[in-house]
Coordinates of all heavy atoms in Angstrom, one line a residue:
N421 N -6.2 -1.7 -1.0 CA -7.0 -0.5 -0.7 C -8.3 -0.9 -0.1 O -8.8 -0.3 0.8 CB -7.2 0.3 -2.0 CG -5.9 1.2 -2.3 OD1 -5.1 1.4 -1.4 ND2 -5.8 1.6 -3.5
D422 N -9.0 -1.9 -0.7 CA -10.2 -2.4 -0.2 C -10.1 -2.8 1.3 O -10.9 -2.4 2.2 CB -10.8 -3.6 -1.0 CG -11.3 -3.2 -2.3 OD1 -11.6 -2.0 -2.5 OD2 -11.4 -4.1 -3.2
R423 N -9.0 -3.6 1.6 CA -8.8 -4.1 2.9 C -8.5 -2.9 3.9 O -9.0 -2.9 5.0 CB -7.6 -5.0 2.9 CG -8.0 -6.4 3.4 CD -6.9 -7.4 3.2 NE -6.5 -7.9 4.5 CZ -5.6 -8.8 4.6 NH1 -4.9 -9.3 3.6 NH2 -5.3 -9.3 5.8
L424 N -7.6 -2.0 3.4 CA -7.3 -0.8 4.3 C -8.5 0.0 4.6 O -8.7 0.4 5.8 CB -6.2 0.0 3.6 CG -4.8 -0.5 3.5 CD1 -4.0 0.3 2.6 CD2 -4.2 -0.5 4.9
I425 N -9.3 0.3 3.6 CA -10.5 1.2 3.8 C -11.5 0.5 4.7 O -12.1 1.1 5.6 CB -11.1 1.6 2.5 CG1 -10.1 2.5 1.8 CG2 -12.5 2.2 2.7 CD1 -10.4 2.8 0.4
K426 N -11.7 -0.8 4.5 CA -12.7 -1.6 5.3 C -12.2 -1.7 6.8 O -13.0 -1.8 7.7 CB -12.9 -3.0 4.8 CG -13.8 -2.9 3.5 CD -13.9 -4.3 2.9 CE -14.8 -4.2 1.7 NZ -14.8 -5.5 0.9
S427 N -10.9 -1.5 7.0 CA -10.4 -1.6 8.4 C -10.2 -0.2 9.0 O -9.6 0.0 10.0 CB -9.1 -2.4 8.5 OG -8.1 -1.7 7.8
G428 N -10.8 0.8 8.2 CA -10.7 2.2 8.7 C -9.4 3.0 8.5 O -9.2 4.0 9.1
R429 N -8.6 2.5 7.6 CA -7.3 3.1 7.3 C -7.4 3.8 5.9 O -8.3 3.5 5.1 CB -6.2 2.1 7.3 CG -6.1 1.5 8.7 CD -5.0 0.5 8.8 NE -4.9 0.0 10.1 CZ -4.5 -1.3 10.4 NH1 -4.2 -2.1 9.5 NH2 -4.5 -1.6 11.7
L430 N -6.4 4.6 5.7 CA -6.3 5.3 4.4 C -5.7 4.3 3.3 O -4.9 3.4 3.6 CB -5.4 6.5 4.5 CG -5.9 7.6 5.4 CD1 -4.9 8.7 5.5 CD2 -7.2 8.2 4.8
P431 N -6.1 4.6 2.0 CA -5.5 3.7 1.0 C -4.0 3.9 0.7 O -3.4 4.9 1.3 CB -6.3 4.1 -0.3 CG -6.8 5.5 0.0 CD -7.0 5.6 1.5
V432 N -3.4 3.1 -0.1 CA -2.0 3.2 -0.4 C -1.8 4.6 -1.1 O -2.5 4.9 -2.0 CB -1.6 2.1 -1.4 CG1 -0.2 2.2 -1.9 CG2 -1.9 0.7 -0.8
S433 N -0.8 5.3 -0.6 CA -0.5 6.6 -1.2 C 0.3 6.4 -2.4 O 0.9 5.4 -2.7 CB 0.3 7.5 -0.2 OG 1.6 6.9 0.0
C434 N 0.4 7.5 -3.2 CA 1.2 7.4 -4.5 C 2.7 7.2 -4.1 O 3.4 6.5 -4.8 CB 1.0 8.7 -5.3 SG -0.5 8.8 -6.1
G435 N 3.1 7.7 -3.0 CA 4.5 7.5 -2.5 C 4.8 6.1 -2.1 O 5.9 5.7 -2.1
D436 N 3.8 5.4 -1.6 CA 3.9 4.0 -1.2 C 3.6 3.0 -2.3 O 3.8 1.8 -2.2 CB 3.0 3.7 0.0 CG 3.5 4.3 1.3 OD1 4.7 4.6 1.4 OD2 2.7 4.5 2.2
Y437 N 3.1 3.5 -3.5 CA 2.8 2.6 -4.6 C 4.1 1.8 -5.0 O 5.1 2.4 -5.1 CB 2.3 3.4 -5.8 CG 1.6 2.6 -6.8 CD1 0.3 2.2 -6.7 CD2 2.3 2.1 -7.9 CE1 -0.4 1.4 -7.6 CE2 1.7 1.3 -8.9 CZ 0.3 0.9 -8.7 OH -0.3 0.2 -9.6
P438 N 4.0 0.5 -5.3 CA 5.2 -0.3 -5.6 C 5.8 0.1 -6.9 O 5.5 -0.5 -7.9 CB 4.6 -1.7 -5.6 CG 3.2 -1.6 -5.5 CD 2.8 -0.3 -5.2
S439 N 6.7 1.1 -6.8 CA 7.5 1.5 -8.0 C 8.9 0.8 -8.0 O 9.7 1.1 -8.9 CB 7.6 3.0 -8.1 OG 8.2 3.5 -6.9
S440 N 9.2 0.1 -7.0 CA 10.5 -0.6 -6.9 C 10.2 -1.9 -6.1 O 9.2 -2.1 -5.5 CB 11.5 0.2 -6.1 OG 11.1 0.4 -4.7
E441 N 11.2 -2.8 -6.2 CA 11.0 -4.1 -5.5 C 11.0 -3.9 -4.0 O 10.2 -4.5 -3.3 CB 12.2 -5.0 -5.8 CG 12.1 -6.4 -5.2 CD 13.1 -7.4 -5.6 OE1 14.2 -6.9 -6.0 OE2 12.9 -8.6 -5.4
K442 N 11.7 -2.9 -3.5 CA 11.7 -2.6 -2.0 C 10.3 -2.2 -1.6 O 9.8 -2.6 -0.5 CB 12.7 -1.5 -1.8 CG 12.9 -1.1 -0.3 CD 14.0 -0.1 -0.1 CE 14.1 0.3 1.3 NZ 15.1 1.4 1.5
K443 N 9.7 -1.3 -2.4 CA 8.3 -0.8 -2.0 C 7.3 -2.0 -2.1 O 6.4 -2.0 -1.3 CB 7.9 0.3 -2.9 CG 8.6 1.6 -2.5 CD 8.1 2.8 -3.3 CE 8.8 4.1 -2.9 NZ 8.2 5.2 -3.6
L444 N 7.5 -2.8 -3.1 CA 6.6 -4.0 -3.3 C 6.7 -4.9 -2.1 O 5.7 -5.3 -1.5 CB 6.9 -4.7 -4.5 CG 6.0 -6.0 -4.8 CD1 4.5 -5.6 -4.8 CD2 6.5 -6.7 -6.1
I445 N 7.9 -5.2 -1.7 CA 8.1 -6.1 -0.5 C 7.5 -5.5 0.8 O 6.9 -6.1 1.6 CB 9.6 -6.4 -0.3 CG1 10.1 -7.3 -1.5 CG2 9.9 -7.0 1.0 CD1 11.6 -7.5 -1.6
R446 N 7.7 -4.2 0.9 CA 7.2 -3.5 2.1 C 5.6 -3.5 2.1 O 5.0 -3.8 3.2 CB 7.6 -2.0 2.1 CG 7.3 -1.3 3.4 CD 7.8 0.2 3.4 NE 9.0 0.4 2.6 CZ 9.2 1.5 2.0 NH1 8.4 2.5 2.1 NH2 10.3 1.7 1.3
L447 N 5.0 -3.4 0.9 CA 3.6 -3.4 0.8 C 3.0 -4.8 1.1 O 2.0 -5.0 1.7 CB 3.1 -2.9 -0.5 CG 1.7 -2.3 -0.6 CD1 1.5 -1.2 0.4 CD2 1.4 -1.8 -2.0

């Protein structure tokens, strides 16, 4: 989130939060 915000992007959404291995790998 720190990196995203400092680069002008939105933070990790609740839907993208790593709740599975697939989402963790994607993040």
